[in-house]
Amino acid sequence: MIIRKSFKIEGSHIVRNCSTYRCSHSIHGHSGIVEVMLEADQLDKAGMVVDFGLLKGPVRDVIDSFDHAYSLWAKESKEYKEFIKKYSDRWIEMPCSPTAEFYAVMFYAIIKRIIERTAFNNGESPSIRVHSVRYHETDTGYAEAFESDYWNIWNRSYKIEDIIFSSE
């Protein structure tokens, strides 16, 4: 069975090297939605894959770090990174380009680690896993990451420890 929990964030970025000039040269924002799909082979004592309340802690907190924050690609120039960090209290420096595709696979990697390190105590299935993560950049477009994307895209080149969060 699969369950879904949705989170809303407002954020901004520049997507360097993309085909659209406007997106690659101008700061712009999105009302994003992060959908987390969890999967298990059996239900817990309450008849749930996992209590949604458990997702209100570390999973929500990580996603909320991106709310009203500027997503900064680590490969930006030193001067630009210094400018953003000086004039914005909320920013995240990411080891990957801040595209919908990378948001999806990055959130997948982070949430996978959280789920794997969570001590469940209500008879939850030992097979609880992240089925997929969708990042809706707009009302009409999203990217969805699966386990294979984690291994083929994220795990080959990136590490969660390379994500730097501002103190805010």
Side-chain angles (χ1 to χ4, degrees), residues 9-13 15 23 28-32 98 103 135-138:
I9 58 175
E10 304 289 336
S12 60
H13 63 176
V15 181
C23 293
H28 60 281
H30 296 280
S31 296
Y103 280 125
Y135 176 73
H136 294 258
E137 189 171 84
T138 66

Side-chain angles (χ1 to χ4, degrees), residues 46-103:
M48 300 181 213
V49 168
V50 67
D51 189 329
F52 282 133
L54 295 176
L55 298 177
K56 291 181 182 176
V59 171
R60 181 201 59 211
D61 292 345
V62 166
I63 294 170
D64 185 62
S65 297
F66 288 80
D67 189 45
H68 288 83
Y70 182 83
S71 293
L72 180 65
W73 188 20
K75 291 185 179 181
E76 289 284 2
S77 71
K78 179 182 174 186
E79 296 79 19
Y80 186 71
K81 288 193 287 188
E82 288 173 353
F83 174 84
I84 291 294
K85 292 175 181 181
K86 180 178 180 180
Y87 292 104
S88 181
D89 288 340
R90 292 182 61 86
W91 51 264
I92 297 96
E93 185 173 330
M94 301 167 47
C96 51
S97 181
T99 63
E101 292 82 355
F102 273 121
Y103 280 125

Side-chain angles (χ1 to χ4, degrees), residues 101-113:
E101 292 82 355
F102 273 121
Y103 280 125
V105 74
M106 179 184 61
F107 282 129
Y108 185 100
I110 294 168
I111 296 164
K112 174 181 171 58
R113 181 176 289 179

Side-chain angles (χ1 to χ4, degrees), residues 1-3 37-43 47-49 129 131:
M1 181 170 290
I2 297 172
I3 62 169
M37 274 65 81
L38 299 180
E39 181 177 18
D41 298 337
Q42 65 189 47
L43 304 180
M48 300 181 213
V49 168
R129 60 200 167 277
H131 174 269

Side-chain angles (χ1 to χ4, degrees), residues 108-163:
Y108 185 100
I110 294 168
I111 296 164
K112 174 181 171 58
R113 181 176 289 179
I114 291 169
I115 295 299
E116 289 173 350
R117 294 179 177 189
T118 298
F120 295 105
N121 59 10
N122 195 36
E124 291 89 353
S125 172
S127 70
I128 292 176
R129 60 200 167 277
V130 180
H131 174 269
S132 64
V133 173
R134 286 182 187 158
Y135 176 73
H136 294 258
E137 189 171 84
T138 66
D139 289 343
T140 60
Y142 68 83
E144 186 168 9
F146 297 90
E147 181 81 9
S148 60
D149 301 312
Y150 168 78
W151 291 107
N152 294 325
I153 298 169
W154 182 265
N155 200 49
R156 290 184 180 191
S157 303
Y158 306 101
K159 296 184 302 191
I160 292 170
E161 293 77 18
D162 293 334
I163 304 168

